[in-house]
Amino acid sequence: MSTFTASIDLPVAPASVPLVRRLVREVLRTWDAPHDREDAELLATELVANVVDHAGDGSFTLELTLGGAWLRIGVVDGSAVRPVVRELDHESERGRGMRLVAAISDRWGAEDHRGGKRVWFELAPVAAGEPPPAG
């Protein structure tokens, strides 16, 4: 199986959130990735929303890799502050993004990267017998 990679630098701005959703959708469609594309779009959107909410000005990099069976999506920004999976607060309108990432992804993590950090998640392909990814 081939390995595919893509990365794009984007501004830390609210408009980047829906743009990332569309980019992930189109890249995975082009790659014919056998993963749940809606999950990938949602989780990438959550990572970018965290950057917009917490990383300040500047830019971030969206990274996508399809290698072997695994899909890995990461976001690199200039803030060294790692994300936190918060306790569920039914009163708060925000703060559920990393809970979604932890619950839906097969693996996720954060690592130091050039004075900032990379937050990533991985998805396994949809199992045999499950509906095919939306396309």
Side-chain angles (χ1 to χ4, degrees):
M1 177 178 241
S2 299
T3 297
F4 296 103
T5 62
S7 69
I8 186 169
D9 296 330
L10 295 167
V12 176
S16 292
V17 177
L19 176 58
V20 163
R21 182 178 286 269
R22 289 191 304 274
L23 287 168
V24 168
R25 178 183 313 128
E26 290 305 313
V27 168
L28 297 186
R29 184 186 59 75
T30 300
W31 290 348
D32 196 26
H35 301 81
D36 189 312
R37 295 177 192 163
E38 289 181 2
D39 283 352
E41 291 172 31
L42 171 66
L43 300 183
T45 299
E46 292 299 334
L47 294 186
V48 173
N50 276 350
V51 170
V52 170
D53 286 348
H54 303 293
D57 297 331
S59 65
F60 68 93
T61 303
L62 174 69
E63 303 173 328
L64 297 97
T65 304
L66 178 59
W70 289 93
L71 171 67
R72 180 178 176 123
I73 297 179
V75 174
V76 177
D77 66 52
S79 170
V81 178
R82 302 260 179 123
V84 175
V85 178
R86 297 183 186 168
E87 291 296 319
L88 188 58
D89 179 357
H90 296 288
E91 302 298 316
S92 177
E93 294 180 19
R94 310 279 310 201
R96 294 178 180 85
M98 292 312 298
R99 288 185 68 79
L100 288 172
V101 171
I104 295 172
S105 69
D106 293 291
R107 302 186 284 231
W108 78 276
E111 57 202 26
D112 294 338
H113 184 77
R114 299 183 183 169
K117 68 180 172 305
R118 173 185 287 120
V119 182
W120 55 270
F121 66 87
E122 293 181 337
L123 295 173
V126 174
E130 290 186 32

